[in-house]
Amino acid sequence: MLLADLLTFILPLVPELVSLPQHRSADLLFAGDAMMHEAQINASRTPSGTHDFAGCFEEIKPFVERADYAVVNFEASLGGKPYRGYPCFSAPDEYPRALTGAGFDFFLLANNHILDRRDKGLHRTITQLDSLGIPHAGIYHDAAARDSLVPAIVNVNDFRVGLLNYTYGTNGIAVQGNAVVDYIDTTKIEADIRASRRAGAELVAVCIHWGDEYHLLPNAAQKALANKLVSYGADMIIGGHPHVVQPMEMRTGPDGRPVLLVYSLGNLISNMKTADTRGGAMVRVRLERDSVGRARVGSAAYSLVFVEPSTYRLKNAATHSDPRAKTFFKNASELFNRHNINVPSDTLFQQCMK
């Protein structure tokens, strides 16, 4: 009887002892900007008039599928025909299917090109992805839809992760109707992080479109905003937009928790020409639990991919023979060796790409 009374008193105070999560670790993968230039559209055309992108991701698919959950920055609209590349993107409807076929589970949509086909393109992008059952964040049909969908909390091998997404702008194109684009607003971001915790997120990733294009180092505004996001309670800060890689670091938050900061993953796939824009990074984040089951970011590692000319197939940047691949790998490796803090090269990627 005394034991029963003791348990009645203790168990409500330490609920994690009642039901510890089954899995002690998980891998969450983030990939950079999935662009869609005119040459990619042309190269993907089939004799029947459809588009086939599956070959682009064939070689990285084993690695992406090894992750428990994979997130990609979808930097285009699905505005419908006529399909176009830069400067106003409208990707073929087959494109998102190819990305999910490669193992990507979640799309980030808050970027500077999401209004390239104006409100109609934004709404169609949402509708198309919803019809394919692809979860996403960053844009919404209206304020009511945002209220119902933010925060997005996904299950990553029993880890509850909040995914938030914001952009610095939309190339001067403004929303005309009721659509919502999540622009960078620190008051809103802080509130969304808090809402994520209230909704049950154990970890929160803020995925953000920011920085200066083609600059290999973050600017002062990125650094200042990153510091704020850490102070707000973000566990992961994943950047895009510069179209080149920028440094990554594991740092310690004000409450002692580990925080991953990635300033830019660069391009996952594109038809950009220079060596630094022809490649990009993916970052694999190991999520872990401590002795009482509390979730934390355990470690992170990066991998480097290169877009093969004409075929647009993603290759291992470390081993590809193209001169631009060699230059990209050299520049990115030197940058990361000099500036990364506790984010090394991913040995698992090299094993999967053999």
Side-chain angles (χ1 to χ4, degrees):
M1 191 70 177
L2 290 175
L3 178 60
D5 290 342
L6 182 63
L7 290 174
T8 300
F9 175 75
I10 291 177
L11 290 179
L13 300 179
V14 283
E16 59 267 29
L17 295 178
V18 180
S19 180
L20 279 173
Q22 180 180 359
H23 297 102
R24 307 298 295 176
S25 66
D27 280 353
L28 175 59
L29 183 72
F30 292 94
D33 303 344
M35 309 291 292
M36 182 50 56
H37 289 97
E38 198 83 21
Q40 294 168 261
I41 296 172
N42 293 337
S44 70
R45 284 197 177 92
T46 68
S48 64
T50 60
H51 294 265
D52 185 358
F53 299 98
C56 299
F57 308 105
E58 182 179 355
E59 293 184 44
I60 69 164
K61 181 177 179 178
F63 177 70
V64 177
E65 288 187 330
R66 282 283 294 268
D68 295 295
Y69 205 81
V71 180
V72 63
N73 185 44
F74 189 78
E75 191 160 358
S77 74
L78 295 170
K81 296 180 179 179
Y83 301 137
R84 291 285 185 267
Y86 182 83
C88 290
F89 294 95
S90 183
D93 291 345
E94 293 89 344
Y95 192 36
R97 296 189 190 97
L99 286 162
T100 57
F104 290 104
D105 301 292
F106 192 97
F107 287 16
L108 306 172
L109 301 176
N111 61 73
N112 57 304
H113 286 289
I114 196 59
L115 286 176
D116 281 0
R117 288 287 177 93
R118 306 319 196 257
D119 288 37
K120 183 178 179 180
L122 178 149
H123 290 300
R124 191 177 186 279
T125 300
I126 295 172
T127 300
Q128 287 294 111
L129 295 182
D130 287 349
S131 72
L132 296 171
I134 301 172
H136 49 84
I139 63 171
Y140 309 92
H141 283 307
D142 52 35
R146 186 189 192 280
D147 289 344
S148 68
L149 295 170
V150 176
I153 298 178
V154 300
N155 186 311
V156 183
N157 202 28
D158 289 344
F159 288 76
R160 297 184 302 278
V161 179
L163 293 172
L164 305 173
N165 184 208
Y166 310 89
T167 180
Y168 75 93
T170 45
N171 292 346
I173 304 171
V175 169
Q176 299 299 309
N178 296 325
V180 175
V181 176
D182 269 348
Y183 296 103
I184 295 171
D185 176 327
T186 54
T187 300
K188 177 167 63 177
I189 296 174
E190 183 178 17
D192 289 344
I193 292 173
R194 290 178 177 174
S196 299
R197 302 289 187 194
R198 291 195 301 270
E202 299 174 280
L203 299 165
V204 178
V206 177
C207 305
I208 195 155
H209 216 67
W210 61 357
D212 296 323
E213 291 184 318
Y214 319 122
H215 286 232
L216 291 170
L217 292 174
N219 62 31
Q222 283 173 277
K223 293 178 180 180
L225 180 53
N227 290 337
K228 285 186 178 181
L229 297 179
V230 173
S231 73
Y232 296 160
D235 300 284
M236 292 162 275
I237 302 164
I238 310 295
H241 174 64
H243 300 303
V244 295
V245 296
Q246 292 181 342
M248 313 170 181
E249 62 184 71
M250 289 291 299
R251 61 164 65 177
T252 302
D255 55 357
R257 74 187 187 285
V259 179
L260 171 65
L261 169 59
V262 177
Y263 280 110
S264 174
L265 289 171
N267 292 329
L268 175 67
I269 187 169
S270 77
N271 188 44
M272 290 189 172
K273 302 299 185 183
T274 66
D276 288 337
T277 60
R278 196 75 187 184
M282 295 184 285
V283 64
R284 183 169 59 93
V285 189
R286 174 57 58 92
L287 310 180
E288 297 177 347
R289 295 192 182 279
D290 64 17
S291 60
V292 296
R294 288 173 299 203
R296 65 188 179 194
V297 175
S299 62
Y302 71 84
S303 51
L304 296 173
V305 295
F306 177 77
V307 184
E308 188 174 63
S310 72
T311 69
Y312 301 100
R313 289 175 175 264
L314 285 167
K315 302 286 185 175
N316 184 348
T319 58
H320 201 276
S321 60
D322 186 280
R324 283 181 295 181
K326 293 179 180 295
T327 300
F328 164 71
F329 183 76
K330 176 179 180 291
N331 291 349
S333 297
E334 289 179 352
L335 177 78
F336 289 162
N337 289 339
R338 188 178 304 118
H339 295 284
N340 275 18
I341 300 174
N342 294 325
V343 184
S345 177
D346 196 335
T347 57
L348 178 62
F349 177 74
Q350 300 303 327
Q351 296 169 15
C352 289
M353 294 293 283
K354 287 182 179 179

